[in-house]
């Protein structure tokens, strides 16, 4: 969030219409007591981000059952036939 333009919450409160319009073209970090606590962004961008609802985990974050499932998965022949596309 360090690269986002920052605006104080009191400034946004005083000039909400201005910052509302500005947030349609530029994501804004809203600060309270010098700390960015809220972000203003267009609804379309929020919807786009919410569709990316997946989590990447490190192997060490997986439990034994999940690791075993990954180790023991049976790769279908049809998928193996696509390996050449990775070269």
């Amino acid at each position: 969030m360090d690269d986002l333009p920052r605006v104080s919450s009191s400034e946004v409160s005083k000039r909400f219409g201005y910052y509302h319009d500005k947030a349609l073209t530029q994501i804004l970090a809203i600060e309270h007591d010098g700390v960015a606590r809220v972000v203003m962004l267009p609804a379309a961008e929020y919807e786009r981000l919410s569709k990316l609802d997946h989590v990447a985990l490190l192997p060490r974050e997986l439990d034994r059952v999940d690791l075993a499932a990954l180790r023991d998965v049976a790769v279908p022949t049809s998928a193996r036939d696509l390996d050449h596309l990775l070269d």
Side-chain angles (χ1 to χ4, degrees):
M1 231 185 315
D2 292 333
D3 56 338
L4 294 179
R6 294 173 171 250
V7 181
S8 72
S9 58
S10 61
E11 177 66 17
V12 172
S13 177
K14 291 175 193 170
R15 301 179 60 201
F16 182 79
Y18 171 79
Y19 288 107
H20 170 276
D21 291 346
K22 190 167 184 73
L24 291 174
T25 60
Q26 181 178 27
I27 298 173
L28 301 171
I30 312 303
E31 294 183 336
H32 183 75
D33 293 333
V35 177
R37 298 179 187 214
V38 175
V39 174
M40 286 179 73
L41 66 152
E45 178 65 0
Y46 173 80
E47 290 173 17
R48 184 188 74 79
L49 292 171
S50 68
K51 289 178 183 173
L52 301 175
D53 195 321
H54 63 279
V55 177
L57 299 175
L58 295 171
R60 69 174 177 261
E61 297 174 303
L62 298 171
D63 60 32
R64 276 187 254 147
V65 173
D66 291 333
L67 285 171
L70 288 171
R71 182 191 64 229
D72 300 335
V73 70
V75 179
T77 305
S78 59
R80 290 183 194 272
D81 293 342
L82 299 174
D83 283 351
H84 71 279
L85 297 174
L86 298 174
D87 294 333

